[in-house]
Amino acid sequence: MPAPASGPRSVDRALDILDAVADADRPVTAKALARRLGCSLSTVYHLLGPLTGRGHLTRTGEGYVPGPRAVALHRSFQRQLGAGPGAAELLRRVRETAGLPAYLTVYRDGRITMIDSTTPATAQDDPFAPGPEARAHATAHGKMLLAQLPRAVRHRYLDFHGMARLTERTITGAERFEAELVRVRGDGVAVSIGEADPAYACLAVPLTPPGEGGPGRVAHALSVSLPAEDFPRRHGEVRAVLTREAARPVSGGRRP
């Protein structure tokens, strides 16, 4: 029988297990994990031991599910990227006032990440979910954050991530996209109508003063989404809610 994986390979497989359990819709058995990883069942059990012992996974009667440590990691992730109590209050106010899902997105160190949302984690129909944003060029929050970056930094970001055509309305040309960002900076509001998902529109405003800091800066954007068919009727109202709430102080003086 082959020896259990060790060293860097063992770390990779442990992370593969975490990803497999996190991505699953229901508990995952050890046998299913072994099949997915293409390794022996003994190797999987060897890795599941410390993962469950440290609280990253929990064993149930049906299989393995994310453990309580995942909650702590998520909270730490949010806190370090600026989603503290003030951010939660801000998102709640926008959600209650506009009646629409609200989101907080951050740019940091060459990455754009949605770090919080008012949409329940169990929701299946929200086109925007917390995590790395791979469609920044096609979303309002992505446009707002990219518009605030120095041109050279923005170009490096777009060269690395690309500008995939997601719908017939997605902007994929560099010159047209730069013109769009000029409009965003002048207007103070970014808009995407069917560019990331043909059924949805989104609007975003900045929570970080434009031009503050250099390439290593951290910038936040506040956004909402709504059905694209409702945009013509509601865009003025939604814009007013975003700009007003983004300018309001939060309790305790803490905000992103």
Side-chain angles (χ1 to χ4, degrees), residues 106-185:
V106 63
Y107 169 88
R108 182 180 185 179
D109 299 326
R111 296 181 178 86
I112 291 178
T113 308
M114 182 171 287
I115 56 177
D116 205 359
S117 156
T118 60
T119 303
T122 55
Q124 299 293 319
D125 58 348
D126 193 326
F128 307 108
E133 178 55 88
R135 307 170 297 175
H137 66 292
T139 65
H141 47 269
K143 290 180 186 180
M144 179 54 69
L145 293 171
L146 290 170
Q148 297 183 59
L149 298 177
R151 187 183 183 97
V153 176
R154 180 167 60 252
H155 284 185
R156 283 199 298 272
Y157 178 93
L158 293 173
D159 286 343
F160 182 81
H161 293 278
M163 299 176 69
R165 182 174 296 283
L166 304 172
T167 75
E168 62 180 14
R169 303 194 65 167
T170 307
I171 300 174
T172 59
E175 291 187 9
R176 184 181 168 198
F177 191 69
E178 280 297 322
E180 173 73 358
L181 297 190
V182 169
R183 186 203 63 76
V184 169
R185 286 190 291 271

